[in-house]
């Protein structure tokens, strides 16, 4: 177990955003399904992305790793039953299960932490109605073209998994989405990557039409910077100091690009130019905002709220209960350590801004809780400790390095 010891300071300077794991997952999978030899730059080393890469190797892909790039090509699909380890990556499981079904891979999915208890039954149901045989997390059979009906109210990852998988099936298939899809920007990322790879996907009034096969013309891709990872340090700049994050696509389809709009609403001073965003210390005031489409920003936005005058209302938080941890509880517990009152009721968290104090935070086996707690501790009065801090590598392995580049005073102690 790792423990962060954090001393209060203002963060200042500039860093480069980490690679977007949302894009990396999808580019790796599309590269595999295209059948071409594809080079992917700026792949990064987050735990979740490495899980997907290793899973594709298990499914027969040849992989060449070169510094921060990977060359990948689909190989022979294994005939014997294989084990596909998805670690703690919900994206990997929900994307790769439909793909295994589409390709006829006989396999069993395993995972760690809460992964196998997170919702996936509606996705399994859509797959079994179209030819897959699924027993628990053991998969066999093979999907056929046809109509796939999926509940869109639980996770956008179900829809992404189907979009990716149906490009691997000969012929034309239809996805009908029941209800308004949650976290819709993540579906936009999927469509962006599929389009770049030459896949044929069309929107309909109820969902999508997907034609099997790729017409890939480009065989080298670069993963763009991650707005979700950047949000921690951009938020830090709004609370104290001056932070510039480079390597961001200012026109990205990533939903978490909304962090700029959110920080402006709090009153932050922000300058955007040449694929960079600079945020300076500002007087922050409470806001009311619906976060349903960008749930991954909720924890760091709650930290900003703790330093804003007044009571911030964060709406659309119900699905935070089924993430890597119960993130509603995690937010309330994290803020209470620093003396900030937060309340949850009726799909809403209310945070009473004030003057946070340092304390002993629990990372809760959740990468976003660890990083959010670190930012909170940085600007709180008094020293702090964050236990179980090692989970930040799930999405942002360069977090500690970048924190120190910005002048943060953080020591890492390993116990056990």
């Amino acid at each position: 177990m790792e423990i962060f010891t954090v001393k209060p300071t203002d963060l200042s300077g500039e860093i480069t955003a980490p690679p977007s794991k949302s894009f990396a997952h999808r580019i790796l999978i599309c590269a595999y399904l295209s059948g071409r030899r594809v080079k992917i730059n700026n792949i990064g080393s987050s735990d979740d992305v490495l899980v997907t890469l290793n899973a594709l190797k298990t499914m027969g892909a040849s992989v060449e790793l070169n510094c921060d790039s990977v060359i990948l090509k689909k190989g022979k699909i294994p005939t014997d039953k294989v084990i596909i380890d998805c670690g703690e990556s919900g994206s990997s499981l929900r994307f790769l299960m439909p793909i295994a079904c589409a390709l006829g891979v006989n396999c069993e999915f395993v995972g760690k932490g809460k992964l196998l208890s997170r919702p996936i039954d509606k996705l399994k149901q859509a797959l079994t109605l179209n030819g897959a045989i699924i027993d628990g997390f053991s998969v066999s059979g093979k999907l056929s073209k046809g109509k796939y009906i999926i509940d869109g109210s639980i996770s956008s990852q179900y829809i992404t998994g189907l979009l990716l998988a149906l490009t691997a099936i000969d012929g034309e298939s239809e996805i009908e989405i029941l209800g308004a899809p949650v976290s819709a920007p993540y579906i936009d990322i999927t469509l962006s990557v599929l389009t770049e790879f030459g896949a044929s996907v069309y929107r309909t009034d109820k969902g999508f039409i997907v034609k099997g096969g790729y017409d890939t013309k480009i065989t080298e891709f670069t993963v763009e910077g991650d707005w979700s990872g950047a949000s921690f340090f951009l938020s830090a700049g709004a609370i104290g100091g001056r932070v510039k994050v480079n390597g961001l696509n200012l026109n990205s389809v990533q939903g978490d690009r909304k962090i700029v709009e959110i920080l402006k609403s709090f009153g932050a001073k922000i300058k955007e130019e040449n694929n960079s965003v600079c945020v300076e210390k500002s007087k922050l005031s409470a806001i009311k905002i619906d976060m349903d489409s960008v749930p991954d920003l909720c924890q760091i936005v709650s930290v900003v709220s703790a330093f804003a005058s007044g009571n911030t209302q964060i709406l659309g938080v119900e699905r935070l209960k089924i993430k890597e941890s119960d993130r509603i509880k995690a937010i309330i517990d994290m803020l209470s350590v620093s003396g900030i009152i937060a309340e949850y009721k009726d799909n809403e968290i209310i945070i009473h801004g004030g003057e946070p104090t340092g304390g002993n935070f629990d990372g809760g086996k959740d990468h976003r809780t660890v990083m959010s707690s670190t930012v909170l501790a940085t600007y709180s009065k008094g020293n702090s400790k964050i236990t179980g801090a090692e989970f930040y590598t799930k999405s942002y392995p360069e977090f500690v390095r970048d924190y120190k580049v910005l002048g943060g005073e953080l020591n890492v102690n390993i116990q056990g």
Side-chain angles (χ1 to χ4, degrees):
M1 179 176 69
E2 291 185 7
I3 299 175
F4 289 173
T5 302
V6 180
K7 293 183 179 180
T9 187
D10 283 354
L11 301 184
S12 291
E14 60 183 273
I15 57 170
T16 298
S20 165
K21 72 185 183 79
S22 295
F23 267 94
H25 281 303
R26 291 158 172 80
I27 292 173
L28 283 170
I29 291 169
C30 286
Y32 170 81
L33 293 176
S34 74
R36 302 287 297 273
R37 187 173 185 270
V38 178
K39 182 178 182 182
I40 305 161
N41 301 310
N42 197 35
I43 194 68
S45 58
S46 72
D47 294 346
D48 282 7
V49 170
L50 293 179
V51 159
T52 290
L53 184 60
N54 287 327
L56 294 174
K57 288 171 67 176
T58 302
M59 293 169 66
S62 64
V63 174
E64 302 172 37
L65 282 169
N66 301 294
C67 296
D68 199 29
S69 68
V70 60
I71 298 173
L72 184 146
K73 188 178 189 301
K74 182 180 177 183
K76 185 178 179 181
I77 294 172
T79 54
D80 295 332
K81 185 172 183 176
V82 295
I83 303 295
I84 297 179
D85 188 350
C86 290
E88 294 186 272
S89 175
S91 297
S92 302
L93 176 61
R94 291 165 174 170
F95 297 171
L96 293 173
M97 182 178 281
I99 288 164
C101 294
L103 298 176
V105 179
N106 184 8
C107 62
E108 180 179 357
F109 288 90
V110 299
K112 299 175 184 176
K114 288 182 61 179
L115 180 67
L116 301 187
S117 64
R118 294 174 65 182
I120 198 170
D121 287 346
K122 296 293 185 181
L123 177 59
K124 289 181 182 179
Q125 183 180 40
L127 298 173
T128 55
L129 289 174
N130 286 275
I133 301 171
I134 303 176
D135 181 10
F137 288 89
S138 291
V139 171
S140 58
K142 192 171 184 179
L143 296 179
S144 58
K145 66 179 181 180
K147 185 173 184 177
Y148 290 73
I149 300 174
I150 190 72
D151 186 341
S153 67
I154 301 172
S155 174
S156 66
Q157 292 174 351
Y158 297 173
I159 300 165
T160 285
L162 290 177
L163 285 168
L164 295 170
L166 295 181
T167 63
I169 299 174
D170 290 338
E172 184 174 283
S173 295
E174 179 184 357
I175 299 173
E176 180 179 334
I177 302 170
L178 302 180
V182 295
S183 301
Y186 288 101
I187 300 172
D188 293 335
I189 294 175
T190 306
L191 296 173
S192 172
V193 174
L194 284 168
T195 299
E196 198 167 3
F197 269 88
S200 297
V201 181
Y202 307 96
R203 287 187 184 271
T204 67
D205 291 341
K206 295 183 178 181
F208 300 94
I209 297 294
V210 184
K211 294 185 178 180
Y214 285 80
D215 185 20
T216 305
K217 299 290 194 299
I218 306 170
T219 55
E220 184 169 353
F221 296 82
T222 298
V223 178
E224 67 176 56
D226 184 40
W227 280 94
S228 183
S231 69
F232 296 100
F233 292 119
L234 294 175
S235 297
I239 299 168
R242 180 180 183 275
V243 174
K244 183 178 182 181
V245 181
N246 301 313
L248 292 169
N249 177 3
L250 300 184
N251 298 309
S252 176
V253 295
Q254 291 180 58
D256 288 347
R257 182 166 63 93
K258 190 176 181 180
I259 189 61
V260 172
E261 175 189 329
I262 293 170
L263 293 177
K264 285 180 179 178
S265 298
F266 275 111
K269 299 175 184 176
I270 297 180
K271 185 176 182 181
E272 302 170 78
E273 62 178 4
N274 300 326
N275 292 334
S276 69
V277 178
C278 183
V279 185
E280 293 187 56
K281 179 179 180 180
S282 316
K283 177 176 172 54
L284 304 175
S285 299
I287 63 172
K288 180 178 181 179
I289 185 168
D290 191 323
M291 302 283 285
D292 183 69
S293 65
V294 285
D296 288 344
L297 293 179
C298 282
Q299 282 145 296
I300 191 58
V301 169
S302 77
V303 171
V304 178
S305 304
F307 294 90
S309 60
N311 300 330
T312 293
Q313 297 172 262
I314 302 177
L315 312 178
V317 299
E318 192 67 26
R319 287 183 302 110
L320 294 182
K321 294 178 180 178
I322 57 172
K323 296 289 186 176
E324 286 89 332
S325 67
D326 179 344
R327 288 182 174 170
I328 293 175
K329 182 178 185 299
I331 287 170
I332 292 170
D333 290 349
M334 173 181 67
L335 295 179
S336 68
V337 170
S338 66
I340 297 298
I341 297 172
E343 309 162 274
Y344 165 71
K345 62 178 181 180
D346 300 330
N347 200 23
E348 176 183 349
I349 298 175
I350 301 171
I351 299 168
H352 303 265
E355 297 183 358
T357 56
N360 295 321
F361 299 91
D362 185 350
K365 298 183 179 180
D366 190 323
H367 54 128
R368 300 197 191 283
T369 300
V370 171
M371 293 184 283
S372 297
S373 297
T374 303
V375 175
L376 176 58
T378 301
Y379 296 98
S380 295
K381 296 179 180 179
N383 296 341
S384 298
K385 288 186 178 180
I386 298 142
T387 58
E390 64 273 15
F391 289 89
Y392 71 92
T393 60
K394 186 177 193 293
S395 62
Y396 194 168
E398 306 87 0
F399 178 78
V400 170
R401 180 201 67 190
D402 289 348
Y403 182 87
K404 291 182 177 181
V405 166
L406 295 173
E409 296 190 39
L410 182 155
N411 291 320
V412 180
N413 300 302
I414 300 176
Q415 291 189 356

